[in-house]
Amino acid sequence: MKHPLDMHRSRRMWRDWDRHQAPLRLRGDRTRRRRFGPRRLAATALALLTAILAWSLLPQSDAAPAASGASGTRALFTTCHIGGGRDCVVDGDTFWMGGVKIRIADIDTPETHPSRCAREAALGQAATRRLRALLNSGPVALTPIERAFDRYGRRLALVSVAGQPVGETLVAEGLARRYHGGRRAGWCD
């Protein structure tokens, strides 16, 4: 048995009855149209102004680090993770600086991803760690070469740290080979 206060009418009937019988709507009614009033406008303007102010206070860097002068640019380099980064080392001959991916033009180092053998992987990791240490040891200066970019879109440059060529240092330590273009020899011999 139904409760005596139940009106035996369908929901549709009650909805229609509400619409015609009660012209005044309650404040919490869901059908009320929301308006973009002065309070919401002020809150949005304040949030936008705060975001612009925060953006302007972020540290800015040079837009084109590839033509830095003899004094060089100082940065804190880390190891890159998937997708690159701002100031980080990808492998023994490639790094990101100021948002630009740079390939050291005069050397070739073992590949780290994917490496072809265990020896290449170990040498590649050692070259990556050493390049990161060299780049963090002083101001980094980039000297452009005749060809600006390689086929992968990386900027080609000769790199020196505190006046010492990075390529020559890595070659002297056995972590890199001289490279002048063309096919590269393997590291798994």
Side-chain angles (χ1 to χ4, degrees), residues 123-141:
L123 281 171
Q125 290 299 323
T128 303
R129 286 191 302 272
R130 183 61 176 137
L131 177 60
R132 187 179 66 226
L134 287 169
L135 293 174
N136 284 326
S137 67
V140 179

Side-chain angles (χ1 to χ4, degrees), residues 12 21-22 26 40 69 71 78 90-91 108 120-121 124 128 139 146 150 153 157 160 162 165-166 175 177 183:
R12 182 175 172 200
Q21 299 297 328
L26 298 175
R40 189 175 285 178
S71 63
T78 60
V90 176
D91 59 19
D108 174 46
E120 183 177 30
T128 303
E146 188 175 311
D150 68 359
S160 60
V166 171
L175 298 172
R177 296 179 184 150
R183 188 174 174 99

